[in-house]
Amino acid sequence: MLLALKSNPEDVGREAARIVANAVRRNPAVRLGLATGNTTLGMYKELIPLHQHDSLDFSRVSTFNLDEYLGLSADHPRSFRHFMQQNFFSQVNIPPRNIHIPNGSIKSDYQQYCASYEQDIRSAGGIDLQILGIGRNGHIGFNEPTSSIGSRTRLKVLSKDTTEDNRKFFAPGEEIPQCAITMGIGTILEAKRILLLATGSSKAAAIAAAIEGPLTASVTASALQLHPDVTFIVDQQAGALLKQQDYYRRVLEMTAILTPDRL
Ligand code: GLP
């Protein structure tokens, strides 16, 4: 596990974009797992000019998004598909056929649909680099507390915490979906490398629990402790409750000397 502690949210976005851009340059056909949410916006904002002015080519990149609200069609303004289109896909050159986002408008055969999403990931060769945010309750994707550590893509009922947190994206009085389709923890853990971004004090307890707490389904991000190649990029506020900050700094310094390719 590597942890980069940054001074502010802008630096978190910049560092994440640097890692994604390096992954694309190293392997132009890289398969990215993508996430939505405010925290990821800084990263997308940094990647766009790298494409537009710095020849970062996404033409062979494939993407798989983590999750989507159930009941929202692709063109719904609050759908994650719409979020991705607005904030990233419309401004880079990923071919539409290479873009995969769970379809929130399906109305039956959920299990079959979710199995086919898993199959699409497998057929593409698996995810090379998975981007994650984190919920205040420690969720990754929409894997709410008590999700099975071995879970696969499926329907999840959203917790009250999550629907309240995501209310900010909806108009006052607008109904918030109660369910979502999300990659499972088991699906996420199969990615070769994982990058988790967090900013702001509201994420501090979740970050401390995920990294320094016990491995527990009550904080699904703690399942990342099982993964061999996870990098957390957090700002001062999100990292404020971590007890071993000095150690993480030293690990990063030594990694830069001994195995710089990991960074
Ligand atoms: C949603 C998404 C998560 C994301 C989380 C945090 O619940 N399903 O993938 O990590 O929001 O969002 P934000 O970055 O807006 O705090």
Side-chain angles (χ1 to χ4, degrees), residues 73-261:
S73 59
D75 56 357
H76 191 289
R78 319 288 175 224
S79 70
F80 286 167
R81 158 71 79 164
H82 187 264
F83 174 103
M84 291 304 302
Q85 201 58 35
Q86 287 279 105
N87 295 304
F88 189 49
F89 294 147
S90 61
Q91 293 162 81
V92 294
N93 64 334
I94 304 173
R97 68 174 179 283
N98 289 7
I99 293 172
H100 306 82
I101 302 186
N103 177 359
S105 56
I106 53 162
K107 294 198 169 61
S108 60
D109 299 328
Y110 301 113
Q111 257 178 308
Q112 201 185 324
Y113 175 75
C114 293
S116 74
Y117 197 71
E118 291 268 331
Q119 186 52 47
D120 288 348
I121 297 173
R122 266 194 302 274
S123 307
I127 290 170
D128 296 304
L129 176 61
Q130 175 68 57
I131 310 299
L132 298 174
I134 187 168
R136 236 174 2 110
N137 62 8
H139 74 214
I140 47 177
F142 268 135
N143 293 285
E144 298 287 33
T146 73
S147 291
S148 146
I149 303 289
S151 52
R152 313 298 310 190
T153 301
R154 69 210 182 293
L155 276 191
K156 262 321 267 186
V157 176
L158 302 179
S159 72
K160 286 273 178 259
D161 287 347
T162 298
T163 46
E164 279 315 304
D165 284 350
N166 289 345
R167 187 175 287 284
K168 58 185 182 253
F169 295 111
F170 291 78
E174 196 177 359
E175 204 180 315
I176 304 178
Q178 300 297 306
C179 295
I181 299 171
T182 181
M183 281 187 203
I185 311 281
T187 323
I188 292 169
L189 290 178
E190 279 173 8
K192 290 197 191 85
R193 182 177 184 188
I194 296 177
L195 218 54
L196 187 147
L197 320 181
T199 59
S201 54
S202 67
K203 302 293 173 67
I207 284 295
I211 297 174
E212 296 178 346
L215 169 59
T216 167
S218 300
V219 178
T220 55
S222 70
L224 300 176
Q225 293 172 20
L226 295 169
H227 194 278
D229 192 359
V230 183
T231 304
F232 289 84
I233 308 176
V234 307
D235 70 356
Q236 297 284 358
Q237 291 189 331
L241 298 179
L242 289 167
K243 295 199 178 78
Q244 304 207 51
Q245 291 193 12
D246 284 349
Y247 178 66
Y248 307 134
R249 270 194 205 99
R250 285 176 47 225
V251 170
L252 215 54
E253 281 163 20
M254 294 308 287
T255 305
I257 295 166
L258 297 172
T259 49
D261 271 6

